[in-house]
Amino acid sequence: MNYQFHTAEELLTLTKKYAMPIHEVVLRHEMDFSHMTEEQVRERMKKRMGVMKDGILQMREYPKISVSGMSGKATEKIDAFLRHHPHDAAVGETGLRAMLYALATAENNASMGCITAFPTAGSSGIIPGVLFAAQEKYMASDDQLLNALFTASGIGLIIAENATLSGAEGGCQAEVGSATAMAAAAVSEMRGGSPEQCLHAAALALKNMLGLTCDPVGGMVEVPCVKRSALAAVYTLAASDLAIAGIESFIPFDQVLEAMEHIGRLISPKLRETSLGGLAVTATARSVEEKLGITINGANKEGPCGSCAACIPNEV
Amino acid sequence: MGSYSIFDIAGPIMIGPSSSHTAGAVKLGQMARALFDATPEKATFLLHGSFATVYKGHATDKALLAGVMKFQTKDPRIKEAFAIAKEQGLAYEFQTGDLGIAYHPNTVKITLEKEGIPPMEVVGSSIGGGNIEVKKIDEFDVDFRGAAGRYFTLIFCHKDKPGMLALITKAIADKGANIANLQNSRLSKGGKALTIVCLDSPIALADILAFEKNDDMYFVRSLTSIDS
């Protein structure tokens, strides 16, 4: 028995060969890879799930404003909205819950709380946002939720091997974009989608995030990261809906990854986690930097500075 | 077999705000400390690329220092790393600079010093999601990853002379451990050489220390407990 896979196509072949859902192939892949028993692998993932849940609870019960003051208030507001007007939400109650859990995770992260980076810290709100909301909606068990986390991880493995999960290397498409692809596949499996449908959901989600830049205000993982996580969680649910309805991605997932890698190299380094362009150089961003006494080091935002290689165009 | 564990993707469990700029930085600090294998009195960090421009907002500086003090990625004391370093008598300095375009944008050169022993320089990159790569140890270009508990890595610095690799691999084979990956390079013929061996299973500490009894072996390091 061999559960190795490097691409979505290989993963799909394994699900067919062994008549297994994605999460089971991923679980067995990990058992082989790290020489652990099924129970050990499940326990390790459970611990990560526990950290996600605790972080959300903490943030809802004891909201914390980040040091910069830019984040920490959104969780409370969406929580109140959910309590008082759950039927008012344009995105429905599940969408509202997805935003709440994503915001709580992202705001907890911004205030240096304890989180599970999944796949990264800046994008850590999306997977819990989508999956915890879907668990309630579809009345899934904790075991099903755990399985969904394995499915998400499997998609993440393919991205890490063939493209990148680093915002500094690929822009935000590599972080939030990857998280939406992972969550889209996982939620689709949780609601009974076939492995093909899961991969279409992942491809549909990621395609919509291609080209997304990483230009955080003051170099902090707050603006736009926190609220972007909430919005990304909602549209991940929509990507899953498309796939479950039978809509296919015209471009297969593996080729979407090739595109992401290519686009990442074309994005100027000023828009790849250096805070030298985009939202990070707006008047509002500059006034925040001034107020907080932050200097983006080596940065001459008007022209080349020579010290950070941000101005040297990439080879493509 | 691929090169990632799913727990490199679903993880690490960490103190925010950034997996690459905070958790990855902690791991790079841990790695440098493990390679130095002594309690440093001074740590100097040269930050490159995105590390140089946005380190303050991501607490990259505190995270690197925390790693050098062996804190885990989930340790809430990362926030107080400066104060704790002062208490422990660890002097630190942060510089920004350009290590060259060949390096990943999230790269740092860490220099650890302690009186009476040679200083050590480690260049490492945080490649996303909290995963790291070591690119240079002192003058040696290397390339190995701190993956989540996959390998047990041994690092040998030894004289470049016939039989050294045979000596290392035979001793490992005698202990029943399998070599998954091996890198070897030297600075000059007959000079210093560095050999990195990744094992599928660990070997006992006593067996590792036994290597150092050889006069041509300058140091041996074992990296088995890198945080994940």
Side-chain angles (χ1 to χ4, degrees), chain A residues 168 213-214 263-274 310-314:
Chain A
T213 58
C214 178
I263 293 166
R265 278 182 274 132
L266 287 170
I267 295 176
S268 161
K270 291 193 178 192
L271 299 171
R272 286 194 269 129
E273 213 171 347
T274 51
C311 315
I312 302 165
N314 285 325

Side-chain angles (χ1 to χ4, degrees), chain B residues 147-174:
Chain B
R150 181 178 184 196
Y151 287 137
F152 301 89
T153 302
L154 296 176
I155 295 170
F156 302 87
C157 185
H158 55 85
K159 191 175 166 67
D160 176 50
K161 66 174 231 184
M164 290 307 284
L165 267 182
L167 180 128
I168 292 168
T169 52
K170 180 172 185 311
I172 289 170
D174 287 348

Side-chain angles (χ1 to χ4, degrees), chain A residues 39 47 57 62 93 120 128 138 140 156 163-164 170 202 205 214 218 238 258 266 293:
Chain A
E39 200 178 330
K47 216 169 123 191
L57 278 177
Y62 311 102
E93 193 178 330
T120 66
Y138 299 109
T164 175
C214 178
E258 278 174 37
L266 287 170

Side-chain angles (χ1 to χ4, degrees), chain A residues 7 15 29 57 71 84 92 100 117 136 143 167 176 201 219-220 225 237 245 247-248 250 263 267 291 302 306:
Chain A
T7 63
T15 63
H29 171 91
L57 278 177
S71 60
H84 302 304
L100 170 64
E136 292 172 43
D143 269 349
V176 167
M220 288 175 281
C225 327
L237 292 168
I247 296 172
E248 299 186 345
F250 192 72
I263 293 166
I267 295 176
K291 204 176 97 198
E302 269 76 40

Side-chain angles (χ1 to χ4, degrees), chain A:
Chain A
M1 301 289 240
N2 180 353
Y3 300 97
Q4 278 182 52
F5 62 91
H6 306 278
T7 63
E9 207 181 314
E10 287 173 12
L11 175 61
L12 204 55
T13 307
L14 290 176
T15 63
K16 287 196 182 117
K17 185 172 164 194
Y18 298 123
M20 274 178 190
I22 292 176
H23 75 259
E24 207 166 329
V25 174
V26 176
L27 177 80
R28 284 165 198 273
H29 171 91
E30 184 64 24
M31 287 161 62
D32 285 352
F33 183 88
S34 52
H35 311 292
M36 287 196 277
T37 64
E38 179 172 345
E39 200 178 330
Q40 285 170 324
V41 174
R42 284 188 175 276
E43 270 313 304
R44 214 167 166 199
M45 190 61 95
K46 251 185 216 162
K47 216 169 123 191
R48 282 152 162 76
M49 187 167 86
V51 170
M52 292 181 203
K53 283 194 171 159
D54 288 351
I56 292 168
L57 278 177
Q58 277 282 330
M59 196 65 203
R60 290 177 73 183
E61 272 183 44
Y62 311 102
K64 288 174 286 184
I65 308 286
S66 65
V67 176
S68 75
M70 290 193 291
S71 60
K73 294 175 192 150
T75 305
E76 231 177 330
K77 283 184 183 156
I78 210 84
D79 221 346
F81 189 78
L82 178 69
R83 261 199 316 277
H84 302 304
H85 315 284
H87 307 300
D88 241 19
V91 296
E93 193 178 330
T94 303
L96 211 51
R97 286 189 184 279
M99 290 201 283
L100 170 64
Y101 304 144
L103 284 171
T105 306
E107 291 201 321
N108 183 39
N109 178 60
S111 62
M112 293 186 83
C114 191
I115 57 116
T116 300
F118 202 167
T120 66
S123 62
S124 62
I126 292 146
I127 287 170
V130 169
L131 295 182
F132 291 156
Q135 185 187 20
E136 292 172 43
K137 163 93 178 164
Y138 299 109
M139 290 182 285
S141 65
D142 272 358
D143 269 349
Q144 281 175 291
L145 181 69
L146 200 66
N147 290 344
L149 295 178
F150 284 114
T151 301
S153 305
I155 303 300
L157 276 183
I158 297 168
I159 302 172
E161 277 201 37
N162 298 288
T164 175
L165 296 169
S166 158
E169 215 179 335
C172 195
Q173 55 168 2
E175 297 207 25
V176 167
S178 297
T180 62
M182 294 159 67
V187 70
S188 300
E189 193 187 78
M190 186 193 266
R191 57 199 286 204
S194 67
E196 283 90 347
Q197 284 174 321
C198 294
L199 290 168
H200 281 302
L204 289 165
L206 187 55
K207 272 193 307 187
N208 197 42
M209 282 283 176
L210 292 179
L212 199 64
T213 58
C214 178
D215 47 359
V217 171
M220 288 175 281
V221 190
E222 299 190 44
V223 178
C225 327
V226 170
K227 292 164 209 160
R228 178 175 289 169
S229 297
L231 293 168
V234 170
Y235 113 86
T236 299
L237 292 168
S240 172
D241 276 345
L242 291 180
I244 294 294
I247 296 172
E248 299 186 345
S249 171
F250 192 72
I251 313 283
F253 187 70
D254 290 324
Q255 290 177 34
V256 177
L257 283 186
E258 278 174 37
M260 179 170 107
E261 173 77 7
H262 187 220
I263 293 166
R265 278 182 274 132
L266 287 170
I267 295 176
S268 161
K270 291 193 178 192
L271 299 171
R272 286 194 269 129
E273 213 171 347
T274 51
S275 291
L276 297 174
L279 292 172
V281 297
T282 55
T284 305
R286 287 183 180 184
S287 72
V288 167
E289 282 176 19
E290 204 172 309
K291 204 176 97 198
L292 297 174
I294 296 171
T295 40
I296 302 293
N297 281 280
N300 170 356
K301 293 183 180 179
E302 269 76 40
C305 56
S307 71
C308 67
C311 315
I312 302 165
N314 285 325
E315 272 180 48
V316 176

